[in-house]
């Protein structure tokens, strides 16, 4: 048994075995009833003019071949020249066959249905009527995925290396020895947790898609109606549908009574679609509808009528199932024109499948920021490894030792230094900083009515260079609205949008109120009387929001709303007008008819005669005009309608239709007290009796209006260099008219056939054949702004083509038909109010107000956030560069290492991280939405930014290193490690308490009194005591020796100890930590100063210094953290900070060093300003008349584009 799997990416169907089938040769494939054609083994590849099809129906195989030549003059909808029309000669589709053939093909019974046994057999063969779902990634797996990046590998390696080294030391049993490893690990875990939790709620589109299906269905089995679970439906089941049902599977209609189905989920169009049983023959050159009129598709709502149908597809083989397959696997991006590789025997070479990882692939769907940060992490990793190796080799060659523990071997000390360098080189806070900036940006987006489902999508939207948008419900309201009327030669304008009848009214073109005009009252009166839709003010029980809601046929809603605006309400009319008869709309009659009887005062002049009947008709203008012999004048009188009058009305219909308006004609006819037909007569007889000699009331023109602000939003997008492409299921002319109204197509420059608007039939010149090759497809999409009659797979191919060209694609949509493209696009944007759960599940962000304008505000916010990310990445990288450089200088110059690993971590994560995050909240510059989008492959750190990182790192290093050297000289009286710990040194700087300057002890030696009498050990005996005491000749030494002997009674001599002064010993032990403390304070202050200078790459620090409240708070937090670290007992010891030992001198040089850094960075900014390369301006403006004038609105002074 084989299950047909229709691929949207290939011209043929392929067959995959079910779970029950055994592995067999391709030649031995059997098909289930209802299967379609499959490609024969060995058939030529797509693109070959010789096409071979196998039509498999039961056991019958027909081989057909057709030579195809194609006129390639125009790929944008021009006619295709075929020697044999494949669309005509190809096997009939299910909706093109007679219902008898369909029932026979599925081996069912149109009256009794399937037997229970047969249904159970088919359920076993085909599986349940459910959509297949990909395995959902667990929260734990998402957490592991977050660790799968280069920068995380580096951080984890640093954790392991640091812990391993400390485990071999003397303090391996102390918890404090591992605090640096623990701190880095905590950062890694926090970052991974935040990202994993955020991603855990994504990709739930298939669950939402499944929830759309009706759980219980009514079917006929064994000749009886039974209720079964929708999941148990099978091919060939006879199912009954009624108003309010959800179609459980793809159904071919057997019987239909005024059946109307809303297919907005599939086509994106809000109007209910009439369904019947008529088979329309295939016509060469005539475009096929997206959904057949005799088919009802799975998951669509039944809005009116009843029907009986036969199920022709279930589960993944339904139209919705095809979309679900696209969500599961968006398909490859193979070029249909590519030549397949063959071996020496001419057989196709099968490429080996890529070896799958145990983790889900997270690389393909990376945002530009994630990809660029990954590339940056690789660079950082290489640089960190290189620096560590160089420093290790240099230090080992110089035999560098730790001045605090000189007994430690040089190689071991250099390994510890290498770990310190790793901590300094790897930006531990960068992933966390980016995550916090993006997640905070998500919260900020909520204020702009944008809900971000994936945090990386924030900046991706900022880089969007093209927005592919659906029309209905996105650019438009998704609510048909009456906007124009015509009666007795007079044009009327209907104002207001949506279903709220309290907004807007009916007026003449000169603005005069026309609510009481006879033509308006008659037209809307009969229109309301010929409708079954009601309008009520309802309150949502969940949100508490009150809104006007129509119940019934969506095509009647604009008529009912307009009637309310002029005081005509169906509930009021029903009090004095009884409906006695109704003929529902049908695709053959193209009109609906009702008959009412007047029982009282109505307010409508043409229905005011009591006890008389009136017919009310609405429908297609050309059909109604054929039945009209008169028209109603403004005063209510009836006048003859001749051929010239009909032409005038038809011209008005054409005029309104060219504006993409849906036009209905409204007519009436007085029938008198006695009906002209028998109520028991056939419907067609009654219809003919009623419509013979109608009186035309007027025309009503409706449209799905554009949303408020959409025109401006589209224009703003173009000004920002963001291209807007509309992809819709509408016909081409309708799509063009809408596109002109909302500025997607220029009203002045657009000409039909110029390539800006394309019917999606041009994407596949052969009907249901392969798509164009990559080159042709890309050439078509690069200039097309409107795609009409698009299928879901068309949207997907368009997005793929644009992405191949380097565009960062944002795709907006609200229906099921948009979900595959939403999932494939760089960023999917779903509608929150009118959007389906499927679209929301496939999207990256949701517009909570369904307003296209919110996208433009979100793009601006995304650009601002990305600019902030660039600023704090540059800031953080310069800090790490300076840290590495400072340590490197200490090693090569044999100066004590300036900083310990814990101090580096504290600086990076406590005092530097808050200002870094604050840089992500910088307000945008005035030219943010005037610049072109950044290229998709542009790195986060641009070349001129690297120069700034190096320059600022050098300035910071020079200032802090000089501060450290000055502190070493002041506290230790030496610079080199060997000199500081030299036991023979004779001088040291002694710092009296509360003094700003040291007292330089010239001699660290000590004269001590002693005696040679061993019996007086406790009172001064020393083996070093000379037997024959010779007083020193130097006056100073003599004074010190004499003072020592005087102070000790019984002393007989004095001896000299070269390094015996205890004050000098303390000086040697504490001098390094004092210098480190001063340098630490200087660095924190310098970084806080630099945080303010980093707010702008070109503006000086005094421009809006304190305009960023977040930065002010962050700097205060960093300062508070500094003083806690300095003065909190225990913490200061752990960090190696001894603030009480540095005296006022240490604070003074720290301030001078940090201030010098601020001045140096500002000088560099001033000098390097001319080398900063900013994004070029989009330079697009469009005048009111639609004329494009690049750069016309931009002042020369505003153009701040400096090129090196």
């Amino acid at each position: 048994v084989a299950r047909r799997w229709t691929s949207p990416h290939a011209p043929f169907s392929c067959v995959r075995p079910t779970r029950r089938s055994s592995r067999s040769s391709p030649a031995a494939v059997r098909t289930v009833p209802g299967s379609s054609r499959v490609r024969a083994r060995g058939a030529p590849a797509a693109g070959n003019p010789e096409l071979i099809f196998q039509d498999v129906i039961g056991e019958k195989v027909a081989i057909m071949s057709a030579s195809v030549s194609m006129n390639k003059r125009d790929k944008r909808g021009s006619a295709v020249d075929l020697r044999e029309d494949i669309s005509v000669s190809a096997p009939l589709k299910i909706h093109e066959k007679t219902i008898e053939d369909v029932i026979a093909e599925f081996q069912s019974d149109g009256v009794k249905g399937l037997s229970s046994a047969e249904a159970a057999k088919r359920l076993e063969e085909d599986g349940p009527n459910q959509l297949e779902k990909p395995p959902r990634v667990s929260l734990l797996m998402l957490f592991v995925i977050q660790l799968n990046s280069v920068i995380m590998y580096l951080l984890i390696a640093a954790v392991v290396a640091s812990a391993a080294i400390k485990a071999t030391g003397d303090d391996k049993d102390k918890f404090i020895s591992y605090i640096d490893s623990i701190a880095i690990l905590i950062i890694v875990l926090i970052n991974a947790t935040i990202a994993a939790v955020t991603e855990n709620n994504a990709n739930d589109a298939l669950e939402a898609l499944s929830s759309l299906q009706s759980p219980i269905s009514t079917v006929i089995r064994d000749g009886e109606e039974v209720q079964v679970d929708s999941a148990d439906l099978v091919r060939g089941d006879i199912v009954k549908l009624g108003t309010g049902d959800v179609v459980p599977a793809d159904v071919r209609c057997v019987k239909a009574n005024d059946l109307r189905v809303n297919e907005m989920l599939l086509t994106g169009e809000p109007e209910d679609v009439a369904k019947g049983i008529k088979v329309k023959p295939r016509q060469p050159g005539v475009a096929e509808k997206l959904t057949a009129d005799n088919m009802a598709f799975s998951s669509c709502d039944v809005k009116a009528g009843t029907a009986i149908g036969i199920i022709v597809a279930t589960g993944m083989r339904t139209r919705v199932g095809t979309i679900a397959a696209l969500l599961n696997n968006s398909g490859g991006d193979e070029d249909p024109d590519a030549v397949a590789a063959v071996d020496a025997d001419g057989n196709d070479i099968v490429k080996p499948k890529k070896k799958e990882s145990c983790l889900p692939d997270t690389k393909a769907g990376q945002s530009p920021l994630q990809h660029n940060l990954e590339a940056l992490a690789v660079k950082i990793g290489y640089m960190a490894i290189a620096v560590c190796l160089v420093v290790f080799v240099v230090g080992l060659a110089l035999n560098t030792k730790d001045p605090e523990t000189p007994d430690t071997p040089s190689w071991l000390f250099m390994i510890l230094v290498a770990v310190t360098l790793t901590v300094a080189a790897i930006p531990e806070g960068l992933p966390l900083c980016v995550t916090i900036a993006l997640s905070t940006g998500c919260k900020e987006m909520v204020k702009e009515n944008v809900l971000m489902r994936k945090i990386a999508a924030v900046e991706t939207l900022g880089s969007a260079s093209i927005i592919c948008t659906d029309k209905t419900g996105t650019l438009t309201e998704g609510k048909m609205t009456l906007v124009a009327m015509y009666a007795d030669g007079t044009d009327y304008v209907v104002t207001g949008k949506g279903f709220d009848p309290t907004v807007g009214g009916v007026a003449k073109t000169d603005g005069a109120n026309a609510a009481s005009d006879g033509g308006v009252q008659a037209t809307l009166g009969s229109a309301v009387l010929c409708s079954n839709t009601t309008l009520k003010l309802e309150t949502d029980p969940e949100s508490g929001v009150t809104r006007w809601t129509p119940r019934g046929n969506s095509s009647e809603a604009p008529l009912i709303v307009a009637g309310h605006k002029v005081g005509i309400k169906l509930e009021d009319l029903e009090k004095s007008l009884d409906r006695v008869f109704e003929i529902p709309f049908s695709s053959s009659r193209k009109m609906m008819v009702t008959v009412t009887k007047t029982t009282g005062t109505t307010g409508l002049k043409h229905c005011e005669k009591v006890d008389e009947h009136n017919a009310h008709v609405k429908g297609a203008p050309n059909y109604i005009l054929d039945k009209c012999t008169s028209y109603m004048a403004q005063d209510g009188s009836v006048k003859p309608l001749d051929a010239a009058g009909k032409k005038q009305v038809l011209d008005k219909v054409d005029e309104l239709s060219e504006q993409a308006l849906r036009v209905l004609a409204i007519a009436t006819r007085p029938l008198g007290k006695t009906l002209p037909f028998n109520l028991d007569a056939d419907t067609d007889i009654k219809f003919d009796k009623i419509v013979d000699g109608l009186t035309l009331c007027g025309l009503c023109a409706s449209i799905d209006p554009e949303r408020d602000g959409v025109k401006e939003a589209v224009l703003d997008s173009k000004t920002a260099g963001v291209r807007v492409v509309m992809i819709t299921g509408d016909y081409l002319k309708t799509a063009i008219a809408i596109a002109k109204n909302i500025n997607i197509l220029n009203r002045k420059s657009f000409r039909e056939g110029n390539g800006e608007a394309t019917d999606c039939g041009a994407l596949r010149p052969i009907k249901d054949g392969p798509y164009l090759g990559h080159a042709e497809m890309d050439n078509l999409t690069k200039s097309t702004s409107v795609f009409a009659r698009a299928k879901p797979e068309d949207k997907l191919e368009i997005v793929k083509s644009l992405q191949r060209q380097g565009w960062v694609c944002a795709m907006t949509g609200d229906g099921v038909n948009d979900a595959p493209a939403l999932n494939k696009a760089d960023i999917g944007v779903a509608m929150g109010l009118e959007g389906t759960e499927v679209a929301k599940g496939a999207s990256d962000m949701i517009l909570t107000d369904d307003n296209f304008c919110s996208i433009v505000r979100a793009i601006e916010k995304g650009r601002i956030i990305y600019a902030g990310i660039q600023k704090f990445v540059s800031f953080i990288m310069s800090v790490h560069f300076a840290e590495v450089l400072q340590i490197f200088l200490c090693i090569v110059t044999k100066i004590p290492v300036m900083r310990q690993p814990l101090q580096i971590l504290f600086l990076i994560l406590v005092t530097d991280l808050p200002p870094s995050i604050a840089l992500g909240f910088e307000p945008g510059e005035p030219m943010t939405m005037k610049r072109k989008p950044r290229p998709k492959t542009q790195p986060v750190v641009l070349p001129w930014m690297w120069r700034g990182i190096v320059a600022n790192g050098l300035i910071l290093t020079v200032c802090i290193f000089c501060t450290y050297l000055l502190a070493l000289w002041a506290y230790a009286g030496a610079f080199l490690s060997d000199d500081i710990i030299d036991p023979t040194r004779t001088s040291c700087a002694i710092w009296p308490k509360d003094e700003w300057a040291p007292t330089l002890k010239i001699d660290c030696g000590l004269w001590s009194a002693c005696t040679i009498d061993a019996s007086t050990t406790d009172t001064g005996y020393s083996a070093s005591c000379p037997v024959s005491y010779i007083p020193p000749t130097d006056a100073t030494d003599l004074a010190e020796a004499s003072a020592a002997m005087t102070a000790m009674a019984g002393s007989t001599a004095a001896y000299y100890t070269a390094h015996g002064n205890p004050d000098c010993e303390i000086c040697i032990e504490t001098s390094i930590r004092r210098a480190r403390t001063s340098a630490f304070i200087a660095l924190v202050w310098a970084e806080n100063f630099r945080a303010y200078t980093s707010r702008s790459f070109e503006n000086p620090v005094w421009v809006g210094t304190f305009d960023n409240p977040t930065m002010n708070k962050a700097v205060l937090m960093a300062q508070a953290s500094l003083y806690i670290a300095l003065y909190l007992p225990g913490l200061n010891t752990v960090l190696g900070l001894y603030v009480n030992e540095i005296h006022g001198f240490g604070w003074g040089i720290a301030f001078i060093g940090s201030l010098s850094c601020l001045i140096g960075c500002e000088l560099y900014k001033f000098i390097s300003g001319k080398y900063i390369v900013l994004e070029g301006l989009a330079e697009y403006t469009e005048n009111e008349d639609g004329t494009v004038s690049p750069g016309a609105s931009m002042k020369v002074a505003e153009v701040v584009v400096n090129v090196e």
Side-chain angles (χ1 to χ4, degrees), residues 66 113 155 311 699 724 887 1116:
L155 292 176
I311 294 178
L699 303 175
V724 181
I887 295 174
L1116 287 175

Side-chain angles (χ1 to χ4, degrees), residues 51 169 187 307 387 688 708 746 779 813 858 890 1033 1176:
L51 302 177
I187 295 300
V387 169
D688 292 337
D708 292 334
N746 187 272
N779 185 59
C890 291
T1033 56

Side-chain angles (χ1 to χ4, degrees), residues 477-495:
E477 294 278 353
K479 303 171 183 176
M480 293 299 294
T481 303
L482 195 68
V483 294
M485 292 179 61
Y486 177 82
D488 190 18
T490 304
D491 289 312
Y492 297 94
V493 177
V494 184
T495 57

Side-chain angles (χ1 to χ4, degrees), residues 74 76 745-746 749-758 783-784:
D74 186 6
R76 288 173 165 76
L745 293 177
N746 187 272
S749 63
F750 174 77
R751 297 290 182 273
E752 289 193 33
N754 66 355
E756 292 185 67
T758 300
S783 60
T784 301

Side-chain angles (χ1 to χ4, degrees), residues 819-874:
L822 288 174
N823 199 42
K824 176 64 179 176
D826 296 289
I827 176 167
V829 185
M831 304 296 112
L833 296 178
E834 300 296 334
T836 63
E837 292 302 317
V838 183
K840 295 174 186 177
S843 67
D844 302 293
M845 59 176 277
I846 299 170
L847 302 181
T848 57
D849 62 349
D850 285 12
N851 195 337
F852 183 85
C853 306
S854 299
I855 299 177
V856 180
R857 294 194 294 269
I859 288 176
E860 181 176 11
K861 185 65 178 178
R863 290 187 177 187
I864 293 172
I865 290 174
Y866 186 80
I869 290 175
Q870 285 184 312
K871 291 172 184 176
F872 71 62
V873 168
S874 298

